[in-house]
Amino acid sequence: MTVAMKTSAEPIVLDLTGMTCAACAARIEKVLKRVPGVESATVNLALESAEVAAPGALSDRLVAVVEGAGYGARLRSRDPKARRREVEAREAERRHDLMQALAVFLISAVLTAPFFVVMGVMVTGRHVHAFTPVVQLMLATPVQIIAGWRFYVGAFKSLLGGSANMDVLVALGTSAAYGFSLYQMIVLGEAADGHLYFEGAATILTLVMLGKLLEARARRSAAAAITKLMDLAPPVATRIGPAGPVEVVVEDLRLGDRVLVRPGERVAVDGVLRQGASELDESLVTGESRPVAKAIGDAVVAGTINGSGAMEIEVRAVGEDTTLARIGRLVEQAQIAKAPVQRLVDRIAGVFVPVVLAIAALTFAGWMLMGAGLEAALIAAVSVTVIACPCALGLATPTALVAGTGAAARAGILIRDIDALERAHGVDTVVFDKTGTLTEGHPIVTDVFTVGPGARDMLRLAAAVQATSEHPLARAIIAAAKLDGGPFPAAGMARAIPGRGVEATVDGRAVAIGNEALMQDLGVDLTFFTAEADRRGAEGKTVVFVSKSGEALGLIALADPVRPEAAEAVAILHRRRIDVRMATGDRADVAGMIGRALGLDRVAGPLRPEEKAGLIRSLSADGRTVAMVGDGVNDAPALAAAAVGIAMGSGTDVAMETAGITLMRPDPRLVAASLDIARATWAKIRQNLVLAFIYNVVGIPLAAAGLMTPALAGAAMALSSVSVVSNALALTRWRPRRGT
Ligand code: ADP
Ligand code: MG
């Protein structure tokens, strides 16, 4: 089982320029991996970036290596201000490139259009002598120079770097068609008419440019999702100083500063509400569309929009440390990462161009040997070169991933681990944790039962022992004791036993609080309390026992209401034919009651954290693909053991690093939604790969057989890129289905 946790230091991220296809990406990856000290390198074509696991000191060397291979590279800054400037500069650069490409395309299109008109007329069966060879030459030459330029440059760089990319195919194919036509003209003069392929060369270049334009647009819209996320937190805030409110840039704020958020304003920092009350639109961070009421003491995160009240917030995190920035980084990392299937595609793309060149050479030789003549042989070979461009293949997976993870993030689902996404499409069993996942996770003490009259003393004793515990039960006990009043006794260092309870020394005596298993371990006799405990357990209450010096003092019963969406969440999963189970550290009778109430297929408890992981492993051994849903704290072993670990965050305090998928708000219905988007993304990847391969698999033999003109081959190639990209972009419209 793999643990989806990054162990090494932060990876080095490079922004790349000059990549034209999957072969370029594969090439850059190869040169990066060859650098000593580099553990791994992944290049994402859609986002034009590389993630390299290597010591930070290597970054200059990495940039140099990429540049040596003929591409542009820049180290991505970590500082949010610099990063924002970089993103803007890159945006501007991309816009500039796009405008330039658009101009080149328009000029080529205007010059190529007359050929199209003639071709159109010829299709109707009439023969036209529209253009003399000289006119054809005059139309095609500027296209060959202006549009061909970038392909010549790209091809030259690529060959210089010792590899062959798509530019080589385009440059070679069109030059052959153009050069051959020019030769015919010189040798045959006016008689060459009918044996010229100027229109082929011009059409290919124009359509490839069109394909590139569409591709660039698709890339921009994918990258825009991230840029938008980064822009959500305003760069300025209103600090409340001794002289009243002053506007300051966020970078000048210190932790503990107070900032004022006026009605309708967007929150610039993470913090805690200290004055006032309001309701916040948190949809951009958690995907929840209804406003969330905030009272004094509540956490507030950057990027959310204030409703009708004014709020005074104590700053807890700014800039890079905010939840929003962390989300942005995680989404970015996930998108850069590569799906396992992509690694295969890259290997194919890396050898694709040489293989295609070989096929083209064979085609040429074959036609010549059959005595078909130079013209037929050359044209068939040119068509092969053009139709075989692997650009659609390179775009198939990354565009789908970027679109899918982006749509998920908008719905409050953070997909951090692409491998988990790949596994998620096959999930047939979902195991939920109970506390905090299916239940609210904010238990309240309902009653305290003791042998003697000292119920309140025992509660205070329990609270003292729990003081350092983060467990929801501990917080409930402390809250109840505080409400009751009176001083807590002084407790020594407490020791938590995960899934069982806590122990500490009070007044030199060992005090323990926990479940039956803990008491058994300590040899505490519970006989007197069993009936009382069972009675409360049957009501669905959690029961913990308190012991002192090995003697049972009494028990505390707590109720943790089931989340209102839990039953619906289970029903939605059942509709997807998924086996839904629960694993809990709580008593079997409590587990059973909740299981019946929610319609779960099976419940298991009481289980310790390792036993939960063991359960997941044994389910996996039975051939199931298991998703584990937990709060990400004491469920970490089980989350790691599952094929897909889904951590449920509270939206503000998120344990984002432990699981492959994190839900940004505690709504168990999002589990089905995340499996849905994983499935949808997966389906898109498969469709795209099939689409891309079909073009090549069908196109190459047709072209080799001489059944395709170069112009038609160019059109087919452009169409394959366009269909792959638009198919992937359809995913950006994905929204979670609301069950009824
Ligand atoms: P779940 O699996 O429901 O999330 P845990 O694994 O966190 O529950 O805990 C399992 C059981 O262990 C609890 O139901 C409780 O009986 C006991 N326990 C764990 N931590 C504590 C604690 N701090 N105080 C008292 N009991 C505890
Ligand atoms: Mg739990």
Side-chain angles (χ1 to χ4, degrees):
M1 285 297 140
T2 52
V3 180
M5 207 144 16
K6 287 239 160 66
T7 44
S8 54
E10 289 257 306
I12 299 173
V13 181
L14 302 176
D15 286 316
L16 304 172
T17 51
M19 285 195 289
T20 50
C21 66
C24 303
R27 166 90 193 136
I28 295 180
E29 224 162 72
K30 210 155 97 194
V31 299
L32 284 174
K33 279 185 188 150
R34 271 211 299 258
V35 175
V38 169
E39 275 170 47
S40 68
T42 359
V43 173
N44 185 306
L45 177 63
L47 293 171
E48 303 191 281
S49 53
E51 200 185 273
V52 189
L58 270 182
S59 40
D60 288 342
R61 171 107 182 82
L62 297 180
V63 169
V65 159
V66 175
E67 283 170 351
Y71 303 92
R74 255 212 332 252
L75 188 66
R76 182 179 291 183
S77 344
R78 294 244 172 77
D79 172 51
K81 235 200 227 156
R83 174 82 187 111
R84 190 178 306 225
R85 263 200 308 276
E86 257 172 42
V87 168
E88 274 159 16
R90 208 170 152 86
E91 253 317 282
E93 214 173 280
R94 283 209 180 112
R95 244 193 323 269
H96 176 256
D97 286 352
L98 204 62
M99 293 316 290
Q100 202 174 34
L102 186 66
V104 170
F105 166 72
L106 288 177
I107 296 170
S108 320
V110 167
L111 291 168
T112 312
F115 289 122
F116 267 100
V117 174
V118 174
M119 279 193 275
V121 176
M122 296 228 286
V123 167
T124 64
R126 260 173 295 166
H127 192 76
V128 275
H129 264 290
F131 303 119
T132 62
V134 177
V135 175
Q136 291 189 34
L137 179 72
M138 277 162 50
L139 288 171
T141 305
V143 178
Q144 193 67 32
I145 295 168
I146 299 171
W149 180 247
R150 57 177 60 214
F151 297 104
Y152 287 123
V153 171
F156 182 70
K157 276 188 182 167
S158 157
L159 291 173
L160 212 61
S163 70
N165 65 5
M166 172 187 135
D167 292 343
V168 175
L169 295 180
V170 174
L172 198 70
T174 58
S175 305
Y178 179 86
F180 176 71
S181 308
L182 193 62
Y183 166 80
Q184 295 276 72
M185 244 187 89
I186 293 166
V187 175
L188 304 174
E190 286 295 312
D193 197 13
H195 301 278
L196 298 178
Y197 297 90
F198 287 124
E199 94 280 357
T203 313
I204 292 166
L205 288 171
T206 308
L207 288 177
V208 175
M209 280 305 299
L210 178 65
K212 281 194 169 300
L213 274 177
L214 293 169
E215 195 186 305
R217 262 202 49 190
R219 265 188 218 174
R220 260 172 50 121
S221 57
I226 303 288
T227 322
K228 240 189 254 156
L229 208 57
M230 290 182 50
D231 283 345
L232 282 182
V236 291
T238 312
R239 178 165 58 196
I240 304 172
V246 210
E247 184 132 307
V248 293
V249 290
V250 169
E251 283 79 9
D252 290 343
L253 287 172
R254 295 277 156 275
L255 300 192
D257 278 356
R258 296 285 180 100
V259 297
L260 177 69
V261 184
R262 299 188 179 88
E265 236 173 34
R266 206 182 268 280
V267 181
V269 296
D270 282 6
V272 178
L273 184 60
R274 290 297 180 211
Q275 286 283 330
S278 189
E279 65 292 336
L280 282 181
D281 175 355
E282 297 187 331
S283 59
L284 290 155
V285 181
T286 66
E288 171 60 64
S289 52
R290 276 166 306 183
V292 182
K294 295 283 169 183
I296 290 174
D298 282 348
V300 169
V301 293
T304 56
I305 306 167
N306 190 10
S308 53
M311 301 186 295
E312 194 177 316
I313 292 169
E314 184 186 324
V315 178
R316 285 286 164 86
V318 289
E320 186 172 29
D321 301 325
T322 59
T323 305
L324 188 70
R326 281 194 297 165
I327 297 173
R329 272 203 303 278
L330 284 173
V331 174
E332 231 170 16
Q333 261 170 27
Q335 292 185 334
I336 291 177
K338 212 162 254 190
V341 58
Q342 181 64 19
R343 291 191 263 275
L344 176 68
V345 172
D346 286 351
R347 268 216 299 283
I348 299 174
V351 295
F352 209 85
V353 174
V355 168
V356 167
L357 290 175
I359 296 177
L362 281 177
T363 305
F364 182 78
W367 281 89
M368 288 300 277
L369 284 178
M370 289 191 312
L374 179 67
E375 183 176 341
L378 196 70
I379 292 317
V382 165
S383 303
V384 168
T385 339
V386 171
I387 200 156
C389 273
C391 45
L393 199 59
L395 287 168
T397 311
T399 47
L401 273 183
V402 168
T405 47
R410 259 201 315 281
I413 300 162
L414 268 188
I415 300 172
R416 204 178 62 81
D417 177 7
I418 294 304
D419 294 17
L421 181 90
E422 182 162 346
R423 291 190 295 265
H425 82 277
V427 164
D428 51 16
T429 308
V430 171
V431 180
F432 280 98
D433 166 49
K434 179 182 76 96
T435 314
T437 306
L438 287 176
T439 66
E440 299 270 4
H442 303 296
I444 41 167
V445 172
T446 56
D447 56 306
V448 181
F449 177 81
T450 54
V451 241
R456 309 177 97 196
D457 288 342
M458 189 188 79
L459 190 61
R460 279 199 293 275
L461 180 68
V465 173
Q466 297 280 23
T468 53
S469 173
E470 284 289 302
H471 201 278
L473 293 179
R475 291 192 199 170
I477 290 171
I478 294 167
K482 275 192 180 148
L483 210 65
D484 214 31
F488 292 3
M493 270 292 280
R495 190 169 70 94
I497 305 120
R500 307 205 143 189
V502 230
E503 278 180 298
T505 316
V506 182
D507 287 337
R509 304 231 255 156
V511 177
I513 307 164
N515 53 13
E516 250 167 293
L518 179 71
M519 294 300 147
Q520 245 157 41
D521 281 359
L522 299 172
V524 177
D525 180 17
L526 293 177
T527 328
F528 189 80
F529 297 99
T530 317
E532 288 294 330
D534 289 349
R535 191 168 65 74
R536 289 172 175 83
E539 291 167 9
K541 286 177 188 167
T542 301
V543 178
V544 295
F545 301 92
V546 183
S547 75
K548 192 172 177 183
S549 304
E551 296 277 341
L553 291 183
L555 60 81
I556 302 172
L558 303 102
D560 183 11
V562 166
R563 288 188 188 279
E565 314 89 2
E568 191 187 330
V570 174
I572 301 174
L573 287 168
H574 274 157
R575 244 176 280 147
R576 310 264 192 289
R577 293 181 198 295
I578 289 171
D579 198 12
V580 190
R581 304 181 174 211
M582 182 175 82
T584 178
D586 211 340
R587 295 164 54 106
D589 48 7
V590 177
M593 222 207 75
I594 291 184
R596 278 188 299 278
L598 297 180
L600 296 169
D601 295 298
R602 210 173 272 201
V603 296
L607 296 179
R608 277 174 296 150
E610 321 84 77
E611 289 171 339
K612 283 190 191 175
L615 172 75
I616 304 287
R617 270 193 286 273
S618 77
L619 286 171
S620 313
D622 288 348
R624 293 166 179 269
T625 307
V626 185
M628 168 78 204
V629 191
D631 48 22
V633 187
N634 64 350
D635 298 315
L639 287 173
V644 183
I646 302 179
M648 200 150 89
S650 62
T652 47
D653 173 30
V654 197
M656 292 194 286
E657 302 290 333
T658 41
I661 297 177
T662 299
L663 308 181
M664 293 302 293
R665 67 193 135 98
D667 182 346
R669 289 175 302 185
L670 284 181
V671 172
S674 46
L675 296 181
D676 283 351
I677 183 67
R679 257 179 222 185
T681 308
W682 197 242
K684 277 285 181 249
I685 290 176
R686 250 190 333 226
Q687 283 167 19
N688 267 355
L689 287 176
V690 169
L691 255 175
F693 269 116
I694 281 180
Y695 273 102
N696 285 326
V697 167
V698 174
I700 294 177
L702 282 181
L707 296 173
M708 239 184 212
T709 63
L712 202 60
M717 200 209 73
L719 197 63
S720 75
S721 290
V722 173
S723 46
V724 159
V725 169
S726 47
N727 187 40
L729 285 183
L731 259 188
T732 54
R733 284 195 297 273
W734 179 87
R735 296 281 178 281
R737 248 185 298 168
R738 287 267 172 240
T740 40

